């Protein structure tokens, strides 16, 4: 008898995971507002997404709702958090403690999603040794010495665009598993990392397109 083959896991698209993050955010707001249940139609309206797409996204991970009732808001939020890994604590390394870095240091959204900035690196003399939200700023030269790949899994890179690639290369060699950066440029991604880019120029292009379409320009 031929050995039984294990079926390959279904590949989930990046766009599906991004929509799950949007659903989680909206469910959190609804739960805080006292909403207990909602339909895929209502969730789709909130996100500007077809209800069929909402159901398809969720069905990729199992069965969550009940016909005639919809989704239990608190339960669905918890289930999506588990899918996204937000039910466990993640240590974040912040590279760059300037104005952009400060946005993350004071983000309530991070705390609500179990994302904790545990280490900060910069090379501005006035910041080295300074404690920000209980974390001491270390010099960029100490990245390899102080980052522990066993606990420091993720990084946020908030440095000038011309420095992003060198920082990603250093983090990859240390063993950091994932990074998010903010620059209007592509980078070479180390084989052992997941690297995502939040480019405001792309988001603004999307914004102007939708506004232009609504204005009939």
């Amino acid at each position: 008898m031929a050995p039984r083959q294990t079926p390959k896991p279904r590949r989930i698209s990046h766009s599906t995971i991004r929509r799950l993050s949007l659903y989680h955010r909206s469910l959190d707001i609804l739960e805080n507002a006292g909403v207990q249940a909602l339909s895929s139609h209502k969730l789709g309206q909130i996100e500007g997404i077809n209800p069929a797409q909402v159901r398809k996204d969720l069905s990729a991970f199992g069965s969550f709702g009940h016909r005639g009732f919809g989704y239990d808001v608190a339960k669905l939020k918890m289930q999506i958090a588990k899918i996204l890994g937000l039910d466990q604590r993640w240590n974040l390394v912040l590279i760059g403690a300037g104005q952009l870095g400060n946005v993350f240091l004071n983000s309530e959204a991070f705390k609500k999603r179990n994302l904790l900035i545990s280490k900060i690196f910069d090379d501005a003399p006035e910041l080295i040794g300074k404690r920000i939200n209980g974390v001491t700023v270390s010099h960029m030269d100490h990245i390899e010495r102080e980052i522990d790949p066993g606990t420091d899994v993720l990084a946020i890179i908030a440095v000038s665009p011309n420095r992003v690639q060198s920082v990603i290369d250093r983090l990859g060699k240390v063993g950091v598993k994932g990074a998010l950066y903010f620059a209007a440029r592509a980078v070479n991604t180390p084989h052992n990392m997941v690297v995502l880019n939040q480019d405001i120029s792309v988001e603004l292009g999307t914004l102007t397109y939708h506004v232009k379409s609504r204005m009939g320009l």
Side-chain angles (χ1 to χ4, degrees):
M1 178 181 289
R4 185 176 181 180
Q5 293 185 339
T6 303
K8 293 182 179 180
R10 181 179 176 183
R11 183 176 178 84
I12 306 299
S13 70
H14 174 72
S15 56
T16 297
I17 299 303
R18 189 175 188 279
R19 286 192 294 270
L20 285 183
S21 292
L22 295 176
Y23 303 155
H24 182 270
R25 179 187 62 186
S26 293
L27 290 164
D28 183 54
I29 294 171
L30 291 167
E31 183 182 26
N32 289 332
V35 178
Q36 296 181 347
L38 85 164
S39 63
S40 58
H41 179 75
K42 182 62 178 178
L43 185 54
Q45 276 188 327
I46 293 172
E47 302 297 352
I49 297 171
N50 189 298
Q53 183 64 63
V54 174
R55 293 191 293 271
K56 182 179 179 181
D57 291 338
L58 295 175
S59 66
F61 299 93
S63 178
F64 301 105
H66 300 281
R67 187 175 297 276
F69 174 77
Y71 302 106
D72 181 296
V73 169
K75 186 176 181 181
L76 182 59
K77 174 192 163 185
M78 180 179 65
Q79 290 168 322
I80 292 178
K82 186 173 183 179
I83 292 169
L84 297 176
L86 299 177
D87 60 334
Q88 56 188 290
R89 172 174 153 169
W90 296 90
N91 282 348
L92 292 175
V93 175
L94 176 62
I95 312 294
Q99 290 184 337
L100 179 58
N102 265 301
V103 172
F104 305 117
L105 284 164
N106 295 290
S107 172
E108 287 296 322
F110 277 27
K111 298 173 185 175
K112 291 173 70 173
R113 288 162 177 76
N114 288 325
L115 301 168
L116 176 67
I117 294 179
S118 57
K119 291 174 183 172
I120 307 171
F121 296 90
D122 205 293
D123 56 9
E126 66 274 15
L127 292 176
I128 306 304
K130 181 179 178 181
R131 287 184 67 79
I132 304 177
N133 291 354
V135 182
T136 301
V137 180
S138 296
H139 197 282
M140 295 275 282
D141 290 347
H142 297 172
I143 284 177
E144 288 80 1
R145 183 193 313 170
E146 297 186 14
I147 288 181
D148 178 357
T151 57
D152 303 320
V153 180
L154 305 176
I156 294 180
I157 303 172
V159 299
S160 57
N162 64 314
R163 302 178 67 189
V164 169
Q165 184 66 65
S166 64
V167 170
I168 289 174
D169 291 341
R170 292 174 68 186
L171 294 176
K173 290 177 181 178
V174 171
V176 171
K177 303 299 187 297
L180 178 66
Y181 74 97
F182 302 81
R185 62 172 59 193
V187 298
N188 295 318
T189 302
H191 72 279
N192 60 331
M193 287 183 71
V194 176
V195 177
L196 299 179
N197 177 25
Q198 184 65 44
D199 183 353
I200 191 171
S201 66
V202 173
E203 299 301 331
L204 285 172
T206 304
L207 178 65
T208 53
Y209 168 80
H210 287 297
V211 171
K212 175 178 176 292
S213 298
R214 288 196 177 194
M215 294 177 66
L217 298 176

